[in-house]
Structure formats: structure tokens, C-alpha cells
Amino acid sequence: MRVGAFVLAAQFPGQGQGEPLHRAVRTAEVSEEAGLDSVWLAEHHFVPYGVCPSAVTLAALLLGRTKRLRVGTAVSVLPNTHPVALGEQAALLHLTSGGRFSLGVGRGGPWVDLEVFGGGLDSYETGFPEDLDLLRRWLAEPRVAAAGERHGFREVAVVPRPSEALDGDGSGPEVIVACTSPGSVRLAAERGLPMLLGMHCGDEEKAGMVALWRRTALAAGHPQDLVRDPGHVSAGLCQLADRTADAREMLLKAMPGWFRLGLDAHVTVDHRERAMRDPVAYTELLCRLHPVGTPRLAADRLAATSERTGITRFALLTEGSGDLAATEENVRRLGAEVLPRLG
């Protein structure tokens, strides 16, 4: 299994905006020291739920601060940027890091971001497939032109070419798609792209999405080797303690306030009503679904998820306490006391 940290740069009540960003950087540094495989960086705009507005920018910093760790975006929101601009950034990070960068992309939500950045509601509702295909072409071809509904431009050279260097392996950065619905699962599967599955999903739901991905990918003609091991990533929550009750208590003290502050700040672009989860109930749900408790319980929980879903890559939120020292300790215990149990 490959276990990494999922970094939201969450601003908890009473904190300034620099504190979660410092905690995000330290999470990556400690993750490398602790032997974790990766860190995955979220991006959000205009809300304290997460104060990192550019996952690729933070990824660049963390790739420079680390030597071994894989750094991925979870995710870069395509409707808020031009696919070519994101492709150029991804190519740069891929080449300068020696291939340690993964580009996770998603369509985000119907938030006011679409108004501020000019993408509009159509970019969220219908534009994602065209954006994704243009991005993938940019990462694979030497020259690219576009004549789509959203993007049109003359042929230009791809500079730098992400598939040209790195010992001649001929591949660009890994691209992963955040999937939250059958439609997005099919979209990823038709293109042979691995999925990033969210924290809100349990094992049964994730297993169903993996099965749908597999059927769709086979029907699209993708090879058995790819379908057998596509590299899906499961996002989750992790909090370790000597007693499971203590781990849950820590999260139930901290996370509902963060959820209440962060989720309530989301504003829809078209004033549609959005039902937000009850913060306490959502925290309790996440504690039940994910490795929250003793190291042995955490290892057993990860192993059970992997066995049920076939997923062997994990991105685990370790900052649920909202405290820097507690987050660092959590990451270190994940490396020292959970990873060895996973084999």
C-alpha cells in the first residue's frame, strides 16, 4: 500500500490564515521524514474550509522542500483555469521534480469562483470533458491546436514537453480525476484515468464506483493491465491515539467548528440552495468510516478498505485536530506505527 497525507490547509476557529498554511508545509516535511508515500493538496477560494487557493503553487514549494515525496493536487479545479495554463504548470513541476508530481483535477462546485474567474456556470455543468481532453493533449503531444466549443486557438508548440525528458520514459505527469458521481466515473474510465474518491464515501460506495470504472474502461477498449491496476486513490481521515475513544474525542472537539465555519462560507454562483451537512454528524460519520483510533485499528481499517475496493493508495487527512504539534505527532505515528502493520 502507498499511504499519503491529504492536506486541506484548514482554518479552524480562532486561527489566522498563516497558521494552516504553515501546518500544511510542516505536514509535507514530516510526511517525508515519517516514510509516507505522498502528500495531496486541496485548493479552495474565498472560504476558511481551506486557505490554499492554488494547489500547484503549494506543490511547487513542497517539491522543493522534499527529496523523495510524491506531491499531488487534490484537486486543481479545471473550471477556474485554462487547461493549457494548468498543463504548462504541470509539465514544469513534472520535469523539475524528476517525475514526483501528480495532477489531480476536478470540476469543483457551483461556487462564486465561477463568477470571479470568469468560467461561468457552463464551465462547471458541461465544460469539464472538453477542458480535460485539452489538458491531456497538452501533456502528451508536441504541438496542440483547439477548435472546441470552449477553446479555440491556432497550433502552438508545447514548451516544455513533459513527455520528452526523464530518462526518455515518454510519459508526462500522472493525471487523476476526482469522481463523485457515476457520470464522472464513466468520464475517467473512458479515458483510462485513475479516480480520486472522497472522504464522504464508505467502502461499499467506493467498491461500486471501482466496479463501474472497471466495466466502463473494459468497454472502452483499455488493456487488462491498466484495468487491473489503474492507481485509484482513496481519500480519508486519520487520527491516532492509544485509545480509540481519545482519537474520536479529539476530532469531535475540533472538526465540527471547522466544518461549521468553512462549509457555511460557500456561496453559490446562481444563488441555488445548497444543503450543508450537520457538522457533528458528519464528523461522527468520518470517524466511523476511516482509520480513527489505535494504530492497530487504523491498519485494520485501511486493510479492510483495500480488500473491499481493490484500492492500494490512500490520502489521509491528518490535521483534524487543528493543532500543529498534534498534526505532526499524528503523521509520525502513522509512519512509525501503522505503515509497518500494512506490510
Side-chain angles (χ1 to χ4, degrees):
M1 286 188 205
R2 289 178 282 171
V3 177
F6 180 30
V7 175
L8 278 167
Q11 182 183 2
F12 286 74
Q15 296 180 350
Q17 294 173 355
E19 185 173 343
L21 291 172
H22 176 62
R23 188 172 63 242
V25 174
R26 285 297 297 151
T27 297
E29 293 172 337
V30 175
S31 291
E32 178 156 270
E33 296 168 7
L36 271 63
D37 170 76
S38 52
V39 291
W40 297 88
L41 310 173
E43 72 176 37
H44 296 87
H45 297 279
F46 324 125
V47 293
Y49 183 75
V51 301
C52 172
S54 173
V56 290
T57 301
L58 186 55
L61 173 68
L62 298 183
L63 286 166
R65 292 281 185 96
T66 57
K67 295 185 177 358
R68 173 194 57 80
L69 202 69
R70 174 163 290 277
V71 180
T73 61
V75 293
S76 295
V77 181
L78 260 181
N80 289 341
T81 189
H82 194 288
V84 170
L86 184 59
E88 288 182 325
Q89 293 167 328
L92 187 64
L93 295 184
H94 174 67
L95 294 170
T96 56
S97 70
R100 290 192 289 129
F101 177 67
S102 294
L103 179 61
V105 294
R107 69 183 192 124
W111 311 125
V112 71
D113 314 4
L114 300 168
E115 175 185 319
V116 175
F117 296 113
L121 195 57
D122 286 347
S123 67
Y124 162 73
E125 292 184 333
T126 63
F128 185 70
E130 181 184 334
D131 286 358
L132 178 60
D133 290 340
L134 176 55
L135 171 66
R136 294 180 63 228
R137 287 178 56 212
W138 191 266
L139 295 175
E141 299 175 11
R143 299 182 66 85
V144 174
E149 293 184 9
R150 289 175 42 76
H151 304 289
F153 54 84
R154 71 189 72 179
E155 185 180 273
V156 294
V158 175
V159 179
R161 281 192 63 193
S163 59
E164 192 172 78
L166 295 183
D167 300 322
D169 66 357
S171 62
E174 174 185 44
V175 177
I176 299 178
V177 179
C179 293
T180 58
S181 67
S184 56
V185 171
R186 293 188 186 95
L187 180 144
E190 289 165 356
R191 291 156 178 79
L193 298 175
M195 301 184 291
L196 172 68
L197 301 180
M199 290 195 300
H200 62 284
C201 299
D203 289 355
E204 291 304 313
E205 185 174 353
K206 287 180 178 176
M209 296 171 84
V210 169
L212 174 59
W213 188 97
R214 185 179 297 115
R215 293 193 301 271
T216 307
L218 287 172
H222 291 292
Q224 286 281 354
D225 287 348
L226 171 66
V227 175
R228 189 178 305 113
D229 186 19
H232 302 315
V233 178
S234 174
L237 173 67
C238 179
Q239 187 64 47
L240 302 172
D242 292 336
R243 300 191 316 151
T244 294
D246 293 339
R248 294 189 175 215
E249 182 180 1
M250 177 179 286
L251 296 183
L252 283 165
K253 283 182 177 179
M255 290 183 68
W258 162 52
F259 282 139
R260 193 172 291 111
L261 180 70
L263 296 178
D264 284 351
H266 281 89
V267 177
T268 55
V269 68
D270 56 356
H271 308 292
R272 73 179 70 179
E273 291 294 325
R274 297 286 289 185
M276 294 301 176
R277 295 177 181 267
D278 175 80
V280 174
Y282 189 37
T283 302
E284 291 174 338
L285 171 67
L286 295 179
C287 287
R288 291 195 301 271
L289 293 179
H290 299 300
V292 173
T294 65
R296 178 172 293 280
L297 180 149
D300 290 346
R301 177 70 264 173
L302 290 171
T305 297
S306 183
E307 181 176 357
R308 179 67 186 92
T309 66
I311 297 173
T312 58
R313 301 170 73 188
F314 293 88
L316 301 178
L317 182 72
T318 55
E319 61 187 302
S321 66
D323 178 77
L324 174 60
T327 298
E328 291 187 11
E329 180 185 7
N330 200 29
V331 173
R332 289 193 176 97
R333 293 193 72 172
L334 179 58
E337 301 177 52
V338 178
L339 293 190
R341 288 182 162 95
L342 297 175

